[in-house]
Amino acid sequence: MSPESTGQNEHYLRVFRRRFRTWRGNRPFWAGLFTILGGVPIAYFPYANMHLGNMTLAMSTTAGAGSLIIGILLITLGLTMWFHHIVRVFAGVAAILLALISIPVANIGGFLIGFLFSLLGGALSLSWAPGEPVTDEAAPAGGVPAAAAPDGLSYTTDEQTAGHPGGALQGAAVPQQEPAKYETAVEVDGGRHRAG
C-alpha cells in the first residue's frame, strides 16, 4: 500500500456523503421527505398559538385529535417509504388518501401546505421504481435481447446472417415464426357447416 492510497486519506464527510447518496438512491427518498414535511404542519397547526402583541390567537379546532392522528400517520408513512421501500405503493396510496382527508379535518390540510406536500410525496412514492444496473451481457451485440422478444419470436442480427447468401439484408431483424404445433386446416364434412 502506498501512502497515496485514496481509501485511507479520504475525508470522513466525503465517505458519509457517498454512503448517504447510495442509500438515498435505493429508496424513494424524496417521496418520504415530502410526506414527512406534509405531516408536520397538519399535526402542528391545530395546536399552535400565534402571538400578535398582547393578543394570543389559537388555531385549535374540534378536530385537533383527528389532525394529530393524520399528521403522525403521514410522518410514519414517510419513514416507511425510507426504511421499508417494498411497501411504497401502499404507503403512497395511503399518503394521498390521508392528504385528501386532511382538507376537511385538519384546518384545510394544514393551510394547504401539508396537503400539497403529502400529495406530492404520495405521488412520488407511487411513481418510484427501483433501478437495475445495466449489464453488457443482457443484450447481444446488434440484436434484441431474448427476454425482450415478444411471444416466442426470434430475431436475427447482421452477424448471424453475414455468412448466408444475400448478406445482411436477408432476414436482418425480421421475426422468424415458429412452425405450428398442430394442423390448422382440418376439414369437417367437406369444409361445410352443418347448416350449409
Side-chain angles (χ1 to χ4, degrees):
M1 300 198 106
S2 70
E4 298 298 321
S5 160
T6 59
Q8 294 177 352
N9 296 334
E10 204 165 16
H11 196 267
Y12 68 92
L13 287 178
R14 187 176 299 155
V15 173
F16 174 76
R17 183 171 169 245
R18 186 179 321 121
R19 287 182 184 167
F20 177 71
R21 187 174 40 210
T22 302
W23 178 84
R24 186 185 69 195
N26 293 332
R27 62 201 73 247
F29 176 77
W30 295 107
L33 182 67
F34 283 131
T35 304
I36 291 171
L37 289 178
V40 169
I42 289 174
Y44 173 75
F45 282 140
Y47 297 100
N49 293 327
M50 288 178 39
H51 299 287
L52 299 173
N54 292 333
M55 183 174 59
T56 301
L57 179 63
M59 293 180 277
S60 62
T61 61
T62 58
S67 63
L68 181 66
I69 291 171
I70 290 173
I72 289 175
L73 283 175
L74 284 170
I75 292 170
T76 304
L77 287 171
L79 292 172
T80 301
M81 291 173 196
W82 281 355
F83 297 109
H84 297 288
H85 57 88
I86 295 173
V87 292
R88 72 187 185 288
V89 174
F90 167 75
V93 169
I96 289 172
L97 290 176
L98 285 172
L100 291 173
I101 290 172
S102 72
I103 290 177
V105 172
N107 290 340
I108 312 171
F111 299 116
L112 294 178
I113 298 168
F115 166 73
L116 291 174
F117 276 133
S118 300
L119 201 64
L120 180 63
L124 285 174
S125 178
L126 284 175
S127 65
W128 185 83
E132 296 180 9
V134 179
T135 61
D136 293 336
E137 298 170 4
V144 178
D151 297 331
L153 298 177
S154 62
Y155 292 89
T156 58
T157 61
D158 294 341
E159 293 173 0
Q160 293 170 342
T161 59
H164 298 307
L169 296 178
Q170 178 185 1
V174 176
Q176 305 294 322
Q177 295 182 356
E178 294 180 12
K181 295 179 181 160
Y182 51 88
E183 189 175 338
T184 57
V186 176
E187 290 189 27
V188 177
D189 295 333
R192 290 186 252 160
H193 296 288
R194 289 186 204 164

